């Protein structure tokens, strides 16, 4: 419910700021002239933030940030498997962990190769930034232990208001 209210607050504030901007441009155009209004618009637009930055992508890429644990070359090529774990389901969005693993060529033991996280659903006003993902083997060949650390940034009009630390610990059952 908090996520819905936060998204609604972001929408209301955006519409209010847009309304104030239009009123300001109209006032400047009427009192000073069209040239001053155009300069005002140019100055205000120059302060726009670059919101294309995604905290969950590789640098200079649009690929999701991935943590690599083992080289796929050391594994049996036909055994590469990927599984997804639902870390948390909120009212309007879901946080996922994806783990890839395969069998060792010699010991036939399942080994994690890589992992990543992502969010689906309504994310207006929040953004997920993973900090670390750890996936370890257990004594059982069909289970891995995982630990995911990250931050949910709560934003108003693009500015971070609060950073919430998140940590998920659990087990993945290999297929």
């Amino acid at each position: 419910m908090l996520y819905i209210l936060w998204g609604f607050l972001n929408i209301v504030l955006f519409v209010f700021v847009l309304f104030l901007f239009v009123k300001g441009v109209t006032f400047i155009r009427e009192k000073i002239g069209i040239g001053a209004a155009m300069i005002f618009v140019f100055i205000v637009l120059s302060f726009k933030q670059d919101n294309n930055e995604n905290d969950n992508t590789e640098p200079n890429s649009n690929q999701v940030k991935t943590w690599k644990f083992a080289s796929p070359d050391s594994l049996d090529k036909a055994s590469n498997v990927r599984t997804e774990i639902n870390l948390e389901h909120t009212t309007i969005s879901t946080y996922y962990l994806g783990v890839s693993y395969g069998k060792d060529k010699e010991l036939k033991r399942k080994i994690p190769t890589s992992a990543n996280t992502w969010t689906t659903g309504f994310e207006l006003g929040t953004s997920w930034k993973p900090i670390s993902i750890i996936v370890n083997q257990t004594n059982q060949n069909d289970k891995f232990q995982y630990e995911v650390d990250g931050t949910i940034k709560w934003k108003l009009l693009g500015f971070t208001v609060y950073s919430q630390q998140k940590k998920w610990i659990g087990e993945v059952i290999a297929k």
Side-chain angles (χ1 to χ4, degrees), residues 1 25 38 41 56 69 79 87 97 111 125 132 135 144 158 163:
M1 186 66 171
V25 170
M38 290 174 63
V41 168
N56 195 18
F69 306 116
S79 70
L87 295 172
L97 168 67
I111 299 172
S132 74
V135 180
F144 301 118
S163 293

Side-chain angles (χ1 to χ4, degrees), residues 45-136:
L45 291 177
S46 70
F47 287 109
K48 180 191 170 296
Q49 279 188 320
D50 182 20
N51 287 333
N52 293 336
E53 171 191 324
N54 186 347
D55 291 331
N56 195 18
T57 58
E58 295 288 347
N60 302 318
S61 171
N62 62 354
Q63 297 295 316
V64 173
K65 187 184 278 186
T66 301
W67 278 258
K68 299 192 185 321
F69 306 116
S71 171
D73 297 338
S74 64
L75 304 175
D76 182 11
K77 292 184 190 226
S79 70
N80 197 13
V81 179
R82 181 166 174 84
T83 187
E84 296 178 0
I85 299 98
N86 181 337
L87 295 172
E88 181 179 339
H89 179 72
T90 67
T91 310
I92 54 175
S93 63
T94 305
Y95 296 89
Y96 289 100
L97 168 67
V99 177
S100 296
Y101 60 91
K103 286 185 182 177
D104 185 297
K105 287 180 181 178
E106 298 169 7
L107 301 175
K108 299 297 181 193
R109 182 154 174 80
K110 293 179 181 171
I111 299 172
T113 56
S114 64
N116 59 8
T117 63
W118 66 94
T119 309
T120 61
F122 184 71
E123 296 182 78
L124 183 62
T126 61
S127 68
W128 165 244
K129 179 180 182 181
I131 296 172
S132 74
I133 300 174
I134 300 170
V135 180
N136 293 319

Side-chain angles (χ1 to χ4, degrees), residues 9-25:
L9 179 62
N10 267 282
I11 292 169
V12 168
L13 283 175
F14 176 76
V15 170
F16 179 69
V17 168
L18 188 62
F19 172 76
L20 289 177
F21 176 73
V22 170
K23 284 290 191 184
V25 170

